[in-house]
Amino acid sequence: MKKKLNKPILVAGISISFILWFYDGFSQQILEIKEWGLLSTIFLGLGFWWRQGQKETTSKPLPVTSLTEESVKDIINQGELILNTLSTEAPDYDISFFKKQLNQLSLSFDRQQLTIALAGDKKVGKTTLKDKLLSQNIFNDISFIEVESLFKEVEMPEIKADLILLLITGDLTNSHWEFLQKCNQNYQRFILVFNKKDQYIPEERVLILEQVQQKLKSMITPSDVIAISASPQSLKVREHEENGTIREWIEAQLPEIDPLSDRLKLIVELERKMLVWGSLWREAMSLKKDVKANLNNIRRDCALPIIEKYQWIAAASAFANPVAALDLLAAAAISSQLVIDLGVIYKQKLSFSQGRVLSGIIGKSIVQLGLVELSTQTISSVLKNNAITYVAGGTVQAISAAYLTRLAGLSLVEHFQDQDVDSTVVKEIDLKQFPQKIKKVFEKNKRTALVKNFIQQTLPRLSN
Ligand SMILES: Nc1nc2c(ncn2[C@@H]2O[C@H](COP(=O)(O)OP(=O)(O)OP(=O)(O)O)[C@@H](O)[C@H]2O)c(=O)[nH]1
Ligand SMILES: [Mg+2]
């Protein structure tokens, strides 16, 4: 992917930094003014983005009300759109698998067969309940699956079911609550089943049921919280006879699952379409995510050489012009062009001024996070401790400028990856999240071995 671009910002940035360096020879104070100047420019830019950002909804809460056929089709279309972009940008890439999956989804809107999953902690009665439901022979076109030890994993397993019965035998724990919230956000219909109610006295049962209904009332109606006993324990009955003898016997208890089966029958009858749409929505979202991840990998392969190119430019200009504050200025100027070049790869049509403002935000975040000092220190100590002998004046600054440029570039890649794949309108940068992205990239790249490797790659470039 070769893109032709004019580089006025880059040239301007480097020349400004040289002019300032020249002035610096005369007056140290000017340098301070320049630093303030840089910061105020960044602040102005920030203000601009902030104003622009007012319209943006940062973390859009998913609508938890009803899903429509249209909205599911919309996600499938978005997946197809990303797939088309992928095949345009990488014509040799085999997209047949994704194409087949997306087609399959479009054909599944009339699916009649449903899957109901029984989930919950260990030994809550999942198998027992499943067998009891099956033995009723009333759910012909429904398959029941059991999900093992749901809450042991750190990552919640993905359950492929149209409806989930979450079984508990007492209190609703935090992990249950988090799981149900996730279900809710993903249009995953569920019913809360309070099993083994025979283990409580009637007063306690009512209390538990009411508490759970209350806790879940923002997500489901009270009639979706159902108390049952799939296999109640037998009771020991003791009878005192008139003649003073005591008679004891064991009395088996009948299972009580009818309230649940009745509710299931009703849901299947009234909500079948909605249950299928929910599953299709989740599958389409997951496919779309996979397709996007593939596209992002391809784009990243194109982005890395560009970031490298700017790294070496930053290193060379900082090496020739070794004043710490000026290096920063040069790095900021260079990254405006980097922003625009990367934007081209990620189909983010950035105007000139948008590129400059974005690079200002990156510069500000880097300064605020203390990464200039941190990377300079790490680089100096690696140079000292690894018997790297070629340490001419400006070397540390040059490597730092290259390193910071790389951080800026990789953070931008993270940012662009989260945007729409082919946007005509560039969304404003999320000011809260962007420093987090830089931090994440820095954490990944700060290991001494990586820095050492980076230094070894940069040094030969400085001697050319
Ligand atoms: N008292 C009482 N015991 C029950 C009830 N339902 C199931 N059990 C008992 O609970 C135990 C576990 O039942 P399972 O159906 O194997 O539970 P599970 O969730 O499938 O267990 P795992 O698959 O091992 O996690 C068994 O001894 C059942 O007899 C009930 O309503 N009341
Ligand atoms: Mg089981």
Side-chain angles (χ1 to χ4, degrees):
M1 189 191 286
K2 287 212 169 88
K3 300 272 168 2
K4 260 197 152 184
L5 276 172
N6 297 322
K7 314 280 190 241
I9 299 178
L10 173 66
V11 175
I14 293 179
S15 9
I16 290 168
S17 96
F18 268 96
I19 295 164
L20 292 176
W21 172 70
F22 175 72
Y23 268 103
D24 188 52
F26 293 98
S27 161
Q28 186 59 38
Q29 284 98 314
I30 291 176
L31 180 65
E32 285 160 23
I33 294 166
K34 281 192 312 278
E35 282 185 282
W36 282 110
L38 171 66
L39 283 178
S40 53
T41 312
I42 288 168
F43 267 112
L44 277 177
L46 203 61
F48 172 76
W49 275 95
W50 184 250
R51 270 204 318 279
Q52 296 274 305
Q54 295 298 301
K55 288 167 266 155
E56 255 269 292
T57 43
T58 43
S59 62
K60 233 191 291 175
L62 265 169
V64 286
T65 47
S66 52
L67 190 60
T68 62
E69 188 168 347
E70 270 320 296
S71 50
V72 180
K73 286 188 170 154
D74 201 40
I75 305 288
I76 299 177
N77 287 342
Q78 287 171 23
E80 278 164 354
L81 203 80
I82 304 175
L83 197 60
N84 288 342
T85 310
L86 194 153
S87 78
T88 314
E89 290 185 21
D92 296 337
Y93 199 87
D94 183 7
I95 57 162
S96 55
F97 169 77
F98 289 127
K99 225 183 170 77
K100 212 172 124 198
Q101 298 273 311
L102 283 166
N103 283 343
Q104 191 61 44
L105 286 188
S106 304
L107 299 173
S108 304
F109 281 81
D110 293 326
R111 167 162 65 84
Q112 291 301 306
Q113 183 74 28
L114 294 177
T115 304
I116 296 181
L118 295 103
D121 299 307
K122 273 205 151 306
K123 303 276 173 222
V124 286
K126 302 179 290 290
T127 310
T128 314
L129 177 61
K130 188 175 108 182
D131 294 344
K132 290 270 148 58
L133 287 169
L134 282 171
S135 69
Q136 288 190 328
N137 276 330
I138 43 173
F139 301 106
N140 296 324
D141 47 4
I142 291 178
S143 26
F144 291 94
I145 55 167
E146 183 176 345
V147 183
E148 301 282 341
S149 51
L150 183 59
F151 303 102
K152 268 179 74 186
E153 322 279 334
V154 182
E155 282 270 315
M156 228 92 72
E158 203 182 307
I159 300 174
K160 283 204 184 315
D162 303 299
L163 171 65
I164 291 178
L165 308 184
L166 177 64
L167 274 72
I168 57 168
T169 54
D171 266 350
L172 193 75
T173 63
N174 269 346
S175 28
H176 293 140
W177 170 251
E178 277 165 22
F179 169 74
L180 294 178
Q181 268 192 318
K182 233 178 220 172
C183 287
N184 203 39
Q185 285 167 353
N186 289 301
Y187 299 109
Q188 173 67 71
R189 183 78 166 90
F190 65 85
I191 290 184
L192 202 288
V193 179
F194 164 35
N195 189 31
K196 304 196 186 183
K197 69 169 184 169
D198 56 293
Q199 290 180 334
Y200 298 89
I201 55 166
E203 291 78 19
E204 283 175 332
R205 281 179 212 166
V206 174
L207 207 68
I208 294 175
L209 198 66
E210 277 176 2
Q211 269 176 358
V212 177
Q213 284 172 336
Q214 180 65 23
K215 268 189 198 162
L216 297 180
K217 76 172 196 289
S218 62
M219 295 195 259
I220 48 175
T221 65
S223 48
D224 283 334
V225 180
I226 301 163
I228 60 157
S229 45
S231 173
Q233 232 166 18
S234 309
L235 283 183
K236 191 190 256 182
V237 184
R238 180 178 290 179
E239 202 174 67
H240 294 264
E241 302 282 331
E242 273 178 12
N243 60 11
T245 55
I246 296 171
R247 234 168 35 100
E248 265 187 15
W249 72 97
I250 304 287
E251 197 170 284
Q253 300 290 297
L254 286 175
E256 261 191 73
I257 63 160
D258 284 350
L260 176 64
S261 339
D262 290 346
R263 184 74 191 141
L264 284 181
K265 273 188 263 175
L266 202 67
I267 289 177
V268 167
E269 194 186 315
L270 300 178
E271 300 181 33
R272 185 184 288 269
K273 257 192 181 345
M274 193 69 89
L275 295 178
V276 172
W277 291 344
S279 290
L280 289 178
W281 185 88
R282 287 185 297 280
E283 281 173 61
M285 285 298 273
S286 139
L287 258 177
K288 181 183 149 189
K289 203 172 141 205
D290 288 353
V291 177
K292 178 126 189 239
N294 278 275
L295 175 64
N296 279 339
N297 282 343
I298 289 164
R299 288 179 166 182
R300 196 184 165 88
D301 287 346
C302 299
L304 287 178
I306 294 186
I307 295 175
E308 266 168 37
K309 186 177 84 186
Y310 284 100
Q311 261 165 238
W312 310 141
I313 295 174
S317 74
F319 190 59
N321 177 15
V323 182
L326 291 182
D327 292 347
L328 187 59
L329 182 61
I334 286 163
S335 61
S336 352
Q337 190 65 55
L338 177 58
V339 172
I340 291 169
D341 285 11
L342 291 180
V344 171
I345 291 179
Y346 287 87
K347 301 282 186 294
Q348 303 291 306
K349 296 179 184 69
L350 286 166
S351 75
F352 234 49
S353 58
Q354 282 175 317
R356 205 167 51 219
V357 172
L358 193 42
S359 85
I361 291 170
I362 298 165
K364 182 176 185 287
S365 300
I366 286 178
V367 173
Q368 275 191 341
L369 293 168
L371 300 186
V372 180
E373 291 82 3
L374 272 174
S375 14
T376 313
Q377 277 165 16
T378 315
I379 288 163
S380 309
S381 77
V382 172
L383 278 172
K384 257 184 229 145
N385 297 328
N386 286 281
I388 296 169
T389 44
Y390 180 73
V391 187
T395 303
V396 172
Q397 287 95 328
I399 296 170
S400 302
Y403 188 74
L404 292 172
T405 304
R406 185 167 186 82
L407 284 186
L410 294 176
S411 315
L412 270 167
V413 164
E414 296 274 328
H415 167 68
F416 285 143
Q417 280 184 357
D418 290 346
Q419 310 303 308
D420 291 340
V421 287
D422 195 351
S423 66
T424 37
V425 185
V426 174
K427 275 209 217 128
E428 293 79 19
I429 192 160
D430 185 338
L431 292 174
K432 275 202 204 104
Q433 277 180 16
F434 198 71
Q436 291 304 320
K437 288 194 170 126
I438 297 184
K439 228 170 151 176
K440 193 173 122 194
V441 170
F442 179 69
E443 291 300 322
K444 262 196 216 159
N445 288 277
K446 71 173 184 188
R447 281 202 351 259
T448 311
L450 287 178
V451 176
K452 195 176 159 192
N453 191 16
F454 185 81
I455 292 173
Q456 260 145 5
Q457 276 178 39
T458 316
L459 281 178
R461 308 240 164 206
L462 301 181
S463 47
N464 289 340

